[in-house]
Amino acid sequence: MEFKESQAIYLQIADYVCEQILLEKWKAEDRLPSVRELAVQTEVNPNTVMRTCEYLQQYDIIYNKRGIGYFVASDAMKRIKQLKKERFMENELPQFFRNIYLLDIELDELKTHYEKYKRSHFR
């Protein structure tokens, strides 16, 4: 896994785990790879993966079955979408709106591009 310097590694791994859940590669109640497996997969220290797991547990996205491992929470997808939506609205949308304003892009034009993007990437 290639990491960006702009964000803590444990958060980037959390994004990876969330993406796997959103893509339904890991479904509700599925067991996640072990901390060691995930550490090897992402090429980081197991302590970093543990920090990721603690972070995701805080948001009830995963839960721990003592001695067995971590599992995807039954409502993880809903929680991830809520969390990511809040972060997007706070962090990325203001800059996006600023660019739209500065570039004088109309919402109709934006909608056309968005629909084209959805068709080409998600169907």
Side-chain angles (χ1 to χ4, degrees):
M1 191 168 171
E2 288 188 37
F3 297 104
K4 300 172 233 143
E5 289 189 29
S6 60
Q7 184 182 35
I9 290 174
Y10 82 96
L11 292 175
Q12 292 178 63
I13 297 170
D15 284 342
Y16 167 77
V17 170
C18 289
E19 187 174 298
Q20 299 309 301
I21 294 168
L22 290 175
L23 292 171
E24 296 185 3
K25 291 183 180 178
W26 298 340
K27 296 179 181 5
E29 303 305 325
D30 278 358
R31 184 178 177 278
L32 270 62
S34 72
V35 169
R36 284 195 179 120
E37 290 169 335
L38 206 48
V40 168
Q41 214 177 332
T42 56
E43 301 174 347
V44 299
N45 186 302
N47 292 331
T48 304
V49 175
M50 273 306 300
R51 190 167 179 197
T52 298
C53 292
E54 290 166 2
Y55 171 80
L56 292 172
Q57 280 188 109
Q58 270 184 294
Y59 291 98
D60 296 320
I61 293 168
I62 65 172
Y63 64 94
N64 188 8
K65 285 188 182 178
R66 199 172 180 92
I68 299 174
Y70 289 96
F71 290 79
V72 177
S74 59
D75 61 347
M77 193 172 289
K78 182 181 105 180
R79 290 180 179 277
I80 292 167
K81 286 180 180 180
Q82 180 183 353
L83 180 63
K84 285 190 166 285
K85 188 182 278 190
E86 287 171 10
R87 293 220 170 110
F88 176 78
M89 297 291 196
E90 289 173 13
N91 302 327
E92 295 175 44
L93 203 54
Q95 184 62 43
F96 180 74
F97 283 151
R98 179 175 172 76
N99 286 333
I100 289 173
Y101 174 77
L102 292 172
L103 298 172
D104 198 26
I105 298 173
E106 294 297 324
L107 291 179
D108 288 341
E109 182 182 352
L110 202 58
K111 184 177 180 179
T112 302
H113 285 281
Y114 175 65
E115 293 301 328
K116 184 179 175 183
Y117 177 82
K118 280 192 334 188
R119 282 192 305 277
S120 67
H121 287 81
F122 300 109
R123 292 191 185 182

